[in-house]
Amino acid sequence: MELNGLTTGIASAKDEAALLALINLVQPHVPWTRAHLYWQFFDLPAGPAKLYVIRDGDAIVSLYAAIPQILEVEGHSLEARMVQDVMTHPDFRGRGFLHHLAGVCLDNINQSDIAGYTFPNDRSEKSFRRGGWSELCEVPHRSKDLRGHIHSGVSLRIEPLDGLFGEWATEVWNVAGLSVGVRRDAQFLNWRYGKPDNKYYKYLIEDDRGLLVLKLYSDGVSGVLHILELVLGIRARDLLPEVLAFCFDFAAGHGAQTVTAWLANGHPYAPQLDAAGLVIKPMRKRFVFVHAPAAYARRVEDAAAWHLTQGDSDVF
C-alpha cells in the first residue's frame, strides 16, 4: 500500500471535527451529531473505541472503528471489539486503506488476547473471510406478520421503566443462564439505550424477573416493532409466551404490522419464538463474523450458544 505522504494512527476525541467530516460525507443519509459521536466512540462503559485511521494532514480519509464491549462466555468475562463504521473518503478509495487498517486492528486483537465480532453486509463480508475471521451465521432475523392479530389481554405484570436500569437488571443477566453474549449489565443497558435522538420503550417483567426493550419504526406507510432486548431469569422462562403476546399487542396497538427480532436457532428461547410465529426469515444481506482467543474459540464460534439480539447492532 502506497501512503504517498499520508499517515496512519489512532484517532481520539480531539479529532471530533475530522471524524464528523468524514462520517457525514460518506453517509449523509444518516448524519451524526457530536452527541452521537461521543456516545458511539468515547462514552462507552468498557472504555473508548479504537479508531484506526489514515490521515491526509488534518483530515481523516479512512476510518476503521473497533468498539469495546465485555463478552461473557460461560460466566467468564472477555474483552471484545465490535468492528463497525468502516469507511474511506471517495477521493481515496481503491488504494487498500481499509484492508491495511483491518490488518492492524486484527493484529491488535490477537496481541491483546481479546475477542472480536462484526455484522458485515453482503458487500463487505468477503474481506472478513479473507482476513481470518470465522463466520458465525447469517444474522438470525426473525419476523411475524401481525395482520389479523387479535388482542390477547396479557395479565402478566410488565411495567414501564421511566428511569435508568438498576442493579436488578444486572442480576437478571447474571441468573439468565445464557452461554455467550455481550454482558447486559446495568451499565451496558443504560449506555446502549441512551443513544441520542432515539426513543426506546423499556420494561420490567414481574418486578425483577426479566427486562424488555422495544423500538417502533415507521417509514410513513407501514410500522415495525423491533424487540431489542428480552432477558429472563432462568426460572422465569415460562413467562416468555406472555411476554411475546405483550409485544404483539403493543405493536398492534401502535399501528405496527410487523414484529422483528434477532435470535439464533438453538437459543433457549428459540422454540417459544417459533411457536409464537416469530420465525427466522434470512435476509441474506448481513452476516455475523467472530474472532476469539483459542481458549474461548469453541464456544464463541458456536452460533447456538450466542444471545444475539438487535440490541447488539448500533443500527437500531
Side-chain angles (χ1 to χ4, degrees), residues 119-123 125 138-139 282-287:
F119 307 120
N121 59 30
D122 54 354
R123 297 187 302 276
E125 50 94 11
E138 291 182 19
V139 163
M283 302 178 73
R284 305 196 185 283
K285 291 183 178 180
R286 193 164 291 277
F287 303 82

Side-chain angles (χ1 to χ4, degrees), residues 16-38:
E16 169 192 324
L19 288 165
L20 284 173
L22 176 64
I23 291 166
N24 290 334
L25 173 71
V26 172
Q27 50 183 50
H29 53 295
V30 280
W32 283 23
T33 61
R34 181 179 186 272
H36 185 114
L37 182 82
Y38 273 76

Side-chain angles (χ1 to χ4, degrees), residues 48-267:
K50 283 280 191 180
L51 304 177
Y52 303 92
V53 299
I54 294 178
R55 302 174 188 268
D56 179 17
D58 292 333
I60 291 174
V61 298
S62 194
L63 167 66
Y64 197 95
I67 310 301
Q69 301 292 1
I70 302 300
L71 199 63
E72 197 154 282
V73 184
E74 302 290 5
H76 299 280
S77 293
L78 176 64
E79 188 177 346
R81 295 281 186 270
M82 176 180 168
V83 173
Q84 60 183 77
D85 302 316
V86 173
M87 63 191 73
T88 296
H89 189 292
D91 294 344
F92 292 83
R93 290 175 184 165
R95 296 168 63 174
F97 288 176
L98 291 178
H99 177 74
H100 172 75
L101 294 178
V104 175
C105 176
L106 189 58
D107 285 347
N108 182 257
I109 286 173
N110 287 331
Q111 291 165 11
S112 302
D113 207 31
I114 61 178
Y117 64 102
T118 186
F119 307 120
N121 59 30
D122 54 354
R123 297 187 302 276
S124 58
E125 50 94 11
K126 291 183 178 61
S127 67
F128 289 94
R129 295 184 197 280
R130 292 193 300 267
W133 293 68
S134 299
E135 182 180 355
L136 186 71
C137 59
E138 291 182 19
V139 163
H141 176 83
R142 294 173 175 267
S143 65
K144 176 182 173 70
D145 189 330
L146 288 181
R147 284 176 293 185
H149 174 76
I150 299 173
H151 188 81
S152 61
V154 174
S155 60
L156 196 67
R157 279 187 297 114
I158 301 179
E159 300 168 316
L161 174 65
D162 295 324
L164 297 174
F165 288 95
E167 284 309 303
W168 64 269
T170 301
E171 187 56 24
V172 169
W173 173 259
N174 288 342
V175 300
L178 301 171
S179 297
V180 179
V182 172
R183 180 172 171 78
R184 263 76 165 175
D185 58 15
Q187 271 193 305
F188 169 83
L189 293 167
N190 288 326
W191 165 77
R192 175 61 184 85
Y193 299 107
K195 182 179 179 181
D197 303 317
N198 280 262
K199 182 174 183 178
Y200 300 104
Y201 298 87
K202 303 178 292 185
Y203 294 93
L204 304 89
I205 300 169
E206 291 282 318
D207 293 329
D208 58 0
R209 300 186 70 192
L211 61 90
L212 175 68
V213 182
L214 307 174
K215 183 179 182 182
L216 286 165
Y217 170 78
S218 175
D219 60 7
V221 177
S222 60
V224 179
L225 178 74
H226 303 300
I227 302 176
L228 303 186
E229 301 288 351
L230 201 178
V231 182
L232 295 165
I234 196 167
R235 294 184 178 179
R237 288 181 182 173
D238 60 319
L239 304 180
L240 187 53
E242 283 194 273
V243 176
L244 293 173
F246 171 86
C247 295
F248 302 153
D249 286 350
F250 179 96
H254 287 79
Q257 291 82 42
T258 307
V259 174
T260 73
W262 290 2
L263 202 72
N265 286 324
H267 188 285

